[in-house]
Amino acid sequence: MKPIKLLFLISCFLLHGFFNAQEKVDRYTLIQNVNIFDGVTSQLNTNQQVLIKNNLIDQISANISAPRGATVIDGQGMTLMPGLIEGHGHLQMNGSSISDIENNRNWEELAVRSVVNAENALMSGFTSWRDAGGMGAGLKKTIDAGLLAGPRIYPSGGFIGPTGSHADFRNFNTPNETMNGVLSNGGRLGMTLTADGVDAIKAAARQNFMQGASQIKIMSSGGVVSQFDPWQLDAYSEEEIRAAVEIADAYGSYVLSHAYSKKSIMRCLKNGVKTIEHCFMFDGDVARLMEEKGAYMTTNMQAFSPALSQVSAISASPASARKANSAQKAFENYLDNVRQYRPKLGFQGDCVGMPEACNKQNDHQIYLGAEFFGNHYWLKALTSVNGEILKLSGEVLDPYPEGKLGVIEVGAYADILIVDGNPLEDITVIGGNEKWFDAPVRDGIETMKVIMKDGVIYKNTLD
Ligand SMILES: [Zn+2]
C-alpha cells in the first residue's frame, strides 16, 4: 500500500474514533436513601447512596452529589441488594417431565417457552442464571442483543452422560444412537449428549464449547426422575470424569457434575470437578476435600420439603417414587452436615417446567434454605457465592468479564434489587414462601420494587 493512502486510512480511523468518543454520553443513575445488603456482610449498611455509571457500580457512600443529567431514585429507606443468581436452572427444559419433553415438544415450542421462562426469571429478581444443561447460547445471545428481557446466561450446552444415565432421554425401546444413528429428541435438539468412554466425552465437551457453552455439565451419578438409572449409580469412571475436566481445562473453564452418592461426589472432587450439583451425601469427608480443592456445591432444597411426593414426575411414576423414598432416607444427614461444616453452597432452583410451577418451587426453596441455615447464609448462596461460581468459567470464556456478579461493590455490575423490608430478617420480601403446591399463582413479587440489570431498570414500582 502506498504511504499516502495508508496515512489517509489511519487518519480516517482516528477521526472515526474521535467522533465515536464524542457521541458516547455516560449514563448515570443515583439511588438515594437505601440500606445495603452487599451480598456478603451479615448487617445492612444503613443510609447509603449508590451511583451507577452506565452498567457498573461507580460509587457507594453516604453522600454523593448527582452528576448532571443523572436519573435520581429515592429508595425510601428500603433495602438495596444484588440481583439474585440461579446457580442451576434449566430454561429450555420446560415440559412437565423428561418424557414430556422427549415425546411432546418440538424445538419451536421449547424455544418459545424458554423466552417466557427467561422473562419470568428476570421479573422474579434473577439477574444471572447458570443454565445447568439443556441449552446452548442462542437464548443468551438474543437477550444480550437487547431483543428479549432475561437474565445474563451462562449456558452449559447439552448435559453429557453415559447410556442409561440421568442424561439419557430416550424411550425404553429406542435403539442406542451409535447403532442406527437414531437420537433421542433431546439429543437431536442438543439438549443432551449421550457419551460413553473418553473419546466420546471429549468430543461432546468440545461440541458444547463450540456452540457457546461457558462450562461443561456431566451426569456422574444416577437421578430420581430419570427412567433407567438408580440414584446410586456411579455413572462415570475416573478416567471419564477426567476427560471432561481435561477439555474444560483447555478452555480455561470447569466442569459441574450432577452427583448424589458419596462415591460419585468424592470421585468428582478428586478428579477436578469444581461444582458438585445436588451433593446430597455431603459430609465431613466431602467438606474437607471440597475446601482443599476450592470447590463449591449447589443443592435444590425442595428435596427436603414435606411436599416432595407431590412432584408430578415422582407421583406419576412408581419407580421414581420408590427412588425418592430411598434417596430421602440416604440423604437424612445432609442438613445437619451443612449446618456443621458451612460449605460454599450456592442456590439452585433446578426447575423443569413453566413459570407458574417454577415460581412456586423456587419461592418455596428460597424459604426452605433460610429456614434450614439462616437468612444470611442463604442470601449469600443466592448472591455472592453463586457470583463466584459463575466466574469459574475463567477469563477467556466468561461472557460478562467487566465486573463482579452477586455483590454490591464499586466496579461490580449494576445488577440490583430494591426490596421493601430487610431480607436478612424476613426472607418473604424476596419471594420466599412456606407453601409450595398450594401457594397462589403470582405475577412478580410485590415487595420487590426495583429490578435493574446491567444498569437498565426493568421494574420500578416505587411511588
Ligand atoms: Zn438440574
Side-chain angles (χ1 to χ4, degrees):
M1 191 179 290
K2 284 182 185 148
I4 189 83
K5 196 169 175 191
L6 183 65
L7 198 66
F8 173 75
L9 274 177
I10 290 171
S11 58
C12 280
F13 277 121
L14 287 175
L15 274 176
H16 186 73
F18 176 76
F19 283 119
N20 267 354
Q22 290 289 300
E23 282 162 18
K24 189 176 180 301
V25 178
D26 288 323
R27 198 165 32 85
Y28 289 97
T29 306
L30 179 62
I31 303 175
Q32 300 174 319
N33 190 16
V34 284
N35 304 321
I36 297 175
F37 167 61
D38 63 7
V40 180
T41 317
S42 62
Q43 301 286 326
L44 297 182
N45 186 7
T46 55
N47 296 318
Q48 294 296 299
Q49 305 196 1
V50 177
L51 180 66
I52 292 127
K53 180 180 176 185
N54 301 321
N55 62 339
L56 302 176
I57 296 173
D58 191 57
Q59 282 184 58
I60 302 167
S61 152
N63 199 355
I64 301 171
S65 46
R68 254 186 56 197
T71 303
V72 179
I73 294 173
D74 177 4
Q76 303 173 21
M78 295 184 189
T79 306
L80 181 148
M81 61 178 287
L84 307 177
I85 301 177
E86 169 61 277
H88 175 135
H90 302 282
L91 290 169
Q92 192 116 315
M93 296 277 294
N94 47 43
S96 60
S97 64
I98 290 176
S99 70
D100 181 40
I101 292 166
E102 177 62 22
N103 297 309
N104 305 327
R105 313 285 161 204
N106 69 358
W107 68 268
E108 170 197 7
E109 189 172 4
L110 292 167
V112 176
R113 284 171 166 229
S114 74
V115 170
V116 177
N117 276 342
E119 185 177 6
N120 177 66
L122 179 63
M123 298 319 285
S124 299
F126 285 89
T127 50
S128 293
W129 186 281
R130 185 174 66 159
D131 208 273
M135 64 187 277
L139 177 63
K140 171 203 162 20
K141 285 195 287 187
T142 315
I143 291 169
D144 290 349
L147 300 171
L148 296 171
R152 304 175 191 279
I153 297 177
Y154 285 73
S156 302
F159 20 64
I160 303 171
T163 295
S165 73
H166 195 51
D168 192 338
F169 284 20
R170 292 171 303 155
N171 292 311
F172 173 71
N173 56 1
T174 314
N176 185 305
E177 61 192 62
T178 54
M179 285 160 58
N180 296 335
V182 178
L183 295 165
S184 63
N185 186 34
R188 267 191 300 273
L189 298 174
M191 300 173 82
T192 169
L193 297 162
T194 301
D196 296 305
V198 166
D199 289 347
I201 291 166
K202 286 184 176 179
R206 288 178 174 127
Q207 168 83 3
N208 278 334
F209 280 129
M210 180 198 112
Q211 296 187 331
S214 44
Q215 63 283 324
I216 295 298
K217 165 81 179 289
I218 62 170
M219 300 291 198
S220 69
S221 89
V224 166
V225 297
S226 36
Q227 282 197 67
F228 313 116
D229 50 334
W231 67 261
Q232 299 91 338
L233 177 71
D234 203 11
Y236 267 147
S237 68
E238 295 209 22
E239 58 176 2
E240 287 176 314
I241 292 169
R242 273 202 302 274
V245 170
E246 183 189 321
I247 300 307
D249 274 351
Y251 281 83
S253 182
Y254 71 101
V255 171
L256 59 148
S257 183
H258 166 107
Y260 283 11
S261 68
K262 182 169 174 183
K263 190 172 177 187
S264 179
I265 293 167
M266 295 296 274
R267 183 180 279 183
C268 282
L269 288 170
K270 281 180 189 152
N271 289 286
V273 171
K274 281 293 181 214
T275 77
I276 307 294
E277 306 305 301
H278 313 296
C279 204
F280 291 130
M281 296 198 79
F282 174 78
D283 65 5
D285 297 332
V286 175
R288 279 181 286 277
L289 191 55
M290 200 172 268
E291 196 177 346
E292 184 191 315
K293 299 283 187 181
Y296 296 75
M297 59 195 264
T298 76
T299 306
N300 42 328
M301 289 300 144
Q302 95 270 27
F304 304 102
S305 171
L308 182 69
S309 59
Q310 292 178 49
V311 172
S312 60
I314 293 174
S315 61
S317 156
S320 286
R322 262 199 310 279
K323 287 205 276 183
N325 216 338
S326 84
Q328 270 190 316
K329 284 196 191 90
F331 305 160
E332 65 186 1
N333 295 324
Y334 171 91
L335 296 177
D336 282 341
N337 286 334
V338 170
R339 289 187 195 109
Q340 184 177 346
Y341 297 105
R342 312 295 274 187
K344 287 217 166 195
L345 171 67
F347 172 86
Q348 71 152 284
D350 199 22
C351 191
V352 171
M354 293 303 291
E356 186 179 318
C358 287
N359 289 341
K360 288 183 179 189
Q361 180 171 316
N362 282 1
D363 293 351
H364 185 52
Q365 300 199 81
I366 287 173
Y367 171 85
L368 287 176
E371 269 302 284
F372 295 149
F373 312 124
N375 292 23
H376 176 234
Y377 184 77
W378 197 231
L379 283 164
K380 285 194 294 180
L382 277 152
T383 57
S384 59
V385 175
N386 269 349
E388 289 174 24
I389 288 175
L390 295 182
K391 293 293 174 180
L392 295 172
S393 287
E395 279 171 36
V396 177
L397 288 197
D398 182 356
Y400 309 104
E402 270 181 272
K404 280 193 189 177
L405 293 164
V407 290
I408 301 296
E409 63 177 56
V410 171
Y413 276 113
D415 292 2
I416 288 172
L417 307 177
I418 297 177
V419 295
D420 187 4
N422 179 359
L424 287 162
E425 287 166 4
D426 178 5
I427 206 69
T428 66
V429 301
I430 59 164
N433 196 332
E434 187 174 0
K435 293 181 176 165
W436 183 357
F437 293 101
D438 46 359
V441 176
R442 67 162 173 79
D443 181 16
I445 295 161
E446 215 213 307
T447 43
M448 203 173 271
K449 301 291 184 184
V450 172
I451 299 172
M452 173 187 275
K453 188 196 91 176
D454 211 37
V456 176
I457 292 172
Y458 288 85
K459 176 184 179 182
N460 183 356
T461 54
L462 289 167
D463 303 325

